[in-house]
Structures are given as structure tokens and as C-alpha cells.
Amino acid sequence: MTARIIDGNALSAEVRGQLAERAAALKTKGITPCLAVILVGEDPASAVYVRNKVAACEKAGMRSLRDVYAPDVDPAVVFARIAELNADPTVHGILVQLPLPKHFDSEAVLEAISPEKDVDGFHAENVGALMQGNPRFIPCTPYGVMKMLESANVPLKGAEVVIVGRSNIVGKPMAMLLLAQSCTVTICHSQSRDLAFHTKRADILVAAVGRAKMITGDMIKPGATVIDVGINRTPEGKLCGDVDFETAKEVAGAITPVPGGVGPMTITMLLANTLEAAERTQMRCAK
Ligand code: GUN
């Protein structure tokens, strides 16, 4: 059996088309959705992500601002810029690309972003709202995964879900979203004993650890849905996920590829959150 491919590029194109229509409708009311992206340092992967985010905004008819700072910038400069963006009514979303250099207090930076403009959903207020089952901004990668599961008609109620990875960006919010859909959720991490014992029980397996091809076919339950959040490079420089696609696709029922799986959906949901933020300002003005 070869798994059904859950195509993130195709779903992204469909959702981005709908977002572009909503952005155009908002423009007729005098509001152009605008995302401000801040990048500190010269990490090549982060630079590519930021470039892709900015390009996606333009393509969807949204405005974007990009501020790039040297790796040794004084954090006060970045805090001042965030304050300026918070106060600017033409800016609807603010994103600080992570990771930040070591001399930054990342948590303090995320807390400095106005919760109403926190389109990453990383501010403690938004994390708390998600935890309480009343999300205001859903972190983009888990949000994209939920859209993919929905589009692929994967049953969620009562499903055994295993998430490998406990990050604030993916693992933890992913668990909250799936729990809200009545899944039974297990989170595994680097200290978990017998990882394969857990993964083999999963109807839905989400890999989000950042280690190339660490989930192999023999760790997957036959017919399971496998979501690969990883973006890694092989020693030969080829992009690959956390899942060994070649062996996994022979066992899984459905699987997301890398590239062309979760990655494009992350950017799509960032656009969705930015648009949503802009629409909320319009609703506040109309009241
Ligand atoms: N670094 C890796 N993923 C993300 C993300 O979703 N948002 C931000 N801001 N930084 C990241």
C-alpha cells in the first residue's frame, strides 16, 4: 500500500485564493492588511523564511514591512521598533522571526508585541486563550496542520494522536488544538522512553523535532496519518522532513511530503491571521 499524499501546495493555493478575495474586499473599505516582520541576525534559514513570508503577503494583495538587524544589535533598538509598530494603525500583524540571538530575552520580545497584533500567537495572553479553548490567534504551523487534517477528512474524535516534539511553536499548541477536537493526545520528547512504542499506537502521528528522517516506517501504525513538520537538510543538502518518507509511505494511510506539505500551510495561516487581525480593526471601527 502506498499512502495518499496530503498536498500542502494545492491546499495553500486554494486557501490563499480565498484570502486574496477577503483582502480585496477589505481594501474597498480603505484597509490594506499589513504584516511587519522583524529579522535579527544572519541565519540563512530564517532569512529564507522571512523572504517567503514577505513575498506571500505581496501575492495575496497584502502589505508587508521588513526590518533586518545585525546579529549584535542592541535589543533596545528592536524593542523601540516593536513599540512603534504596536502604535501604527496601518500595521495589523507583527512577527519577530525566531530564534533570536543569545543576548536577547526572547520571551520579553514576544511579550512586547501587542496581543491584538500577535499573528504568531506566541504572546502569553494568546497562549492562555488557546489553552482555555478560546483561541484568538492560533500559531501558524499547528493551524496549518489542522486545515490539512480537515481537508483530508481525517477523523479526529477519539483518535489516538502522538506528537513528537514539545516546542512552544508546534508541539504544545498542536496538542491543545487536537485535544479541543476530542483526540487522545500524547506528547513525546527527547527524554521519552521507547519512542516507537508510542508512535506505533498513533492513528495520527505528528513529527516536529527537527531531526532528519528520525521517524521510520517501522515506527508507524499501518494506515496512520503522518504529518511531517520537520524541515531539515540531508548531508547532501537535500530538503527532508523528520519522517523517512520512503519507508513511511509504504505503511501510512496518508502522509504530508517535505517539501510541499506543512511548510506552505504555515505561511498561508500567517496570512490568514494577518487578514483576521485587519478585519477585526475594521469591525472595531464599524461599531
Ligand atoms: N521560527 C520557526 N518557526 C517560526 C514561526 O512560526 N514564527 C516565528 N516568528 N519564528 C519561527
Side-chain angles (χ1 to χ4, degrees), residues 49 53 95-99 120 122 140-141 169 266:
Y49 294 145
K53 287 170 184 181
L95 177 151
V96 177
Q97 186 66 26
L98 301 174
D120 258 330
F122 294 164
C140 305
T141 299
I169 295 180
T266 294

Side-chain angles (χ1 to χ4, degrees), residues 13-276:
E14 187 188 322
V15 176
R16 287 187 202 190
Q18 295 160 0
L19 296 174
E21 279 177 26
R22 274 166 60 192
L26 203 56
K27 265 193 199 170
T28 65
K29 294 172 179 149
I31 299 172
T32 303
C34 175
L35 172 69
V37 183
I38 292 176
L39 172 64
V40 184
E42 288 155 354
D43 176 51
S46 291
V48 171
Y49 294 145
V50 165
R51 208 179 314 133
N52 290 345
K53 287 170 184 181
V54 167
C57 279
E58 307 298 334
K59 244 184 126 180
M62 302 186 193
R63 213 160 65 86
S64 63
L65 305 173
R66 173 167 46 175
D67 289 288
V68 181
Y69 297 98
D72 60 352
V73 67
D74 181 348
V77 173
V78 175
F79 279 105
R81 179 60 177 150
I82 291 173
E84 203 172 76
L85 294 167
N86 280 342
D88 184 341
T90 68
V91 172
H92 306 99
I94 303 170
L95 177 151
V96 177
Q97 186 66 26
L98 301 174
L100 285 164
K102 287 200 167 53
H103 67 290
F104 272 80
D105 177 348
S106 300
E107 209 174 295
V109 171
L110 297 178
E111 294 311 295
I113 297 169
S114 163
E116 285 80 32
K117 298 189 179 187
D118 169 37
V119 284
D120 258 330
F122 294 164
H123 190 288
E125 244 182 62
N126 289 321
V127 174
L130 175 65
M131 184 102 184
Q132 288 177 324
N134 189 22
R136 295 182 206 144
F137 285 115
I138 299 173
C140 305
T141 299
Y143 195 1
V145 171
M146 294 306 286
K147 286 277 171 204
M148 294 178 100
L149 292 171
E150 186 189 320
S151 82
N153 293 313
V154 177
L156 298 182
K157 200 190 278 186
E160 288 287 343
V161 174
V162 174
I163 299 167
V164 188
R166 55 177 156 179
S167 70
N168 290 338
I169 295 180
V170 184
K172 288 187 214 167
M174 189 80 256
M176 288 303 125
L177 292 170
L178 289 163
L179 194 58
Q181 296 304 315
S182 303
C183 297
T184 302
V185 181
T186 303
I187 305 181
C188 295
H189 46 77
S190 56
Q191 305 304 308
S192 295
R193 274 181 278 128
D194 198 352
L195 180 63
F197 164 80
H198 295 284
T199 58
K200 272 196 266 190
R201 292 174 37 251
D203 301 316
I204 301 170
L205 177 60
V206 181
V209 257
R211 273 184 56 194
K213 302 187 184 188
M214 71 165 289
I215 305 288
T216 45
D218 57 327
M219 298 169 74
I220 295 168
K221 175 175 166 177
T225 299
V226 177
I227 305 289
D228 191 351
V229 177
I231 302 177
N232 313 291
R233 288 207 181 261
T234 63
E236 299 79 45
K238 240 184 101 191
L239 273 188
C240 73
D242 291 350
V243 176
D244 178 34
F245 187 80
E246 290 308 315
T247 56
K249 77 175 195 315
E250 300 304 324
V251 185
I255 189 166
T256 65
V258 177
V262 175
M265 284 306 290
T266 294
I267 298 186
T268 300
M269 302 330 286
L270 173 65
L271 300 179
N273 280 346
T274 305
L275 181 61
E276 176 75 30

